[in-house]
Amino acid sequence: MKISISEITTVGQSFADDLDAYGAAGADGVGIWEMKLGDDSFERFRASGLGAAAAVPAVPSILPLPLMEGPADPAERVEAIRGAVRRLAPFEPECVLFLTGPGEDRETIVEGIRAIGEEGSAQGVPVALEPTQREFAHFWSVASSLAEAQDLIDEAGADVGLMYDTWQLWNEPLAEIEAHRDRIRGVHLADWREPTRNTNDRVLPGDGVVDFGPILEALRWDGFYDLEIFSDAELDGSLWREDPRELAARGVQQLRRVVSTASA
């Protein structure tokens, strides 16, 4: 069992502070967010002894995202993602993930997937398309299942894998996992708050309504289980209001308990 923490979980910390906090918490790896990288980040990463789970580009989608800043031109966005693949390659992440973004321009999405796949192959870095929760898809993506994401990849004829996120896909059929398991390149874990108040309202594994056992059994995943928490700081009980080091420690503890119980 390998446990990691995606850096958005401790959004207010620096890359260096994240490495220190995750190591102290007992994590085995870090899900790198490009936006946190500085000139000395690679050296700090190597010194930390942590591995690299799924990495996230500073511009994470082909089409613009309503809730995040970034270029309006999809061509600029794709080039930024390709640049992120090159920048992240030395860290040897399990994959570099990306989203389609919301919209109806399927041709642009397919062209972007193809270009990102080519960059991943050139750099020797797996790249993965992440489908998102149907309830909030209008903020993030045109793909809300592994099958829908794979259809886009097949249309592009691209060497691109899939990203599985329990918060995004927990209420999709388990048969989806079984059908696409061999294409999955990274796994994010978070729990679903009931009721969920907005697209950034996740809770730690074990604190929500997700039944992780059947999901993890279907995944048969042997890579990093990467904790990824988005938590709107304006909402009561937001995890982003907590002390980052304490959150990292509690997150690792609960994630290990959930994964251990599911695999027992």
Side-chain angles (χ1 to χ4, degrees):
M1 182 198 312
K2 296 191 297 183
I3 299 297
S4 58
I5 303 177
S6 185
E7 288 190 278
I8 199 66
T9 303
T10 51
V11 64
Q13 285 199 139
S14 68
F15 184 78
D17 287 341
D18 283 344
L19 295 178
D20 289 344
Y22 301 171
D28 306 296
V30 52
I32 297 170
W33 279 63
E34 185 192 11
M35 67 182 185
K36 289 196 176 187
L37 294 181
D39 292 340
D40 63 347
S41 293
F42 182 69
E43 290 74 17
R44 288 180 177 273
F45 169 74
R46 290 293 295 271
S48 75
L50 297 175
V56 183
V59 176
S61 66
I62 295 168
L63 300 181
L65 298 175
L67 301 181
M68 293 183 69
E69 296 180 358
D73 182 5
E76 290 184 38
R77 300 180 69 85
V78 170
E79 188 52 44
I81 295 171
R82 295 182 66 166
V85 172
R86 295 191 293 270
R87 186 179 188 187
L88 291 161
F91 294 86
E92 299 181 335
E94 281 188 325
C95 69
V96 175
L97 70 85
F98 66 99
L99 310 172
T100 68
E104 299 179 359
D105 192 349
R106 189 177 182 94
E107 181 178 356
T108 294
I109 290 171
V110 169
E111 290 175 355
I113 292 172
R114 186 179 301 119
I116 294 165
E118 290 172 354
E119 192 65 54
S121 296
Q123 301 301 324
V125 178
V127 292
L129 178 60
E130 181 174 13
T132 64
Q133 171 63 228
R134 291 187 187 278
E135 184 173 344
F136 302 111
H138 56 288
F139 292 126
W140 306 107
S141 179
V142 302
S144 293
S145 70
L146 296 174
E148 290 171 5
Q150 188 62 54
D151 283 347
L152 289 165
I153 293 167
D154 290 344
E155 189 173 338
D159 184 12
V160 172
L162 298 166
M163 185 75 195
Y164 186 88
D165 187 311
T166 57
W167 190 87
Q168 306 287 6
L169 301 178
W170 71 278
N171 50 1
E172 294 292 315
L174 289 175
E176 284 269 307
I177 299 174
E178 294 161 358
H180 299 283
R181 182 190 301 119
D182 292 344
R183 298 293 301 160
I184 293 173
R185 298 291 178 264
V187 172
H188 278 157
L189 270 73
D191 215 332
W192 182 270
R193 184 194 297 271
E194 189 60 56
T196 289
R197 295 166 290 183
N198 69 25
T199 189
N200 293 336
D201 192 26
R202 306 182 191 188
V203 291
L204 295 177
D207 288 345
V209 299
V210 174
D211 185 0
F212 285 96
I215 292 173
L216 299 183
E217 183 178 351
L219 283 169
R220 302 178 194 171
W221 181 245
D222 61 0
F224 284 106
Y225 290 100
D226 196 29
L227 178 69
E228 186 188 54
I229 297 295
F230 286 77
S231 189
D232 188 337
E234 295 184 2
L235 296 176
D236 289 342
S238 169
L239 297 179
W240 278 353
R241 294 185 186 178
E242 295 191 10
D243 177 270
R245 294 181 71 89
E246 293 178 4
L247 177 61
R250 188 157 58 90
V252 167
Q253 182 182 45
Q254 292 191 209
L255 187 52
R256 286 196 185 280
R257 183 183 305 123
V258 164
V259 175
S260 297
T261 301
S263 59

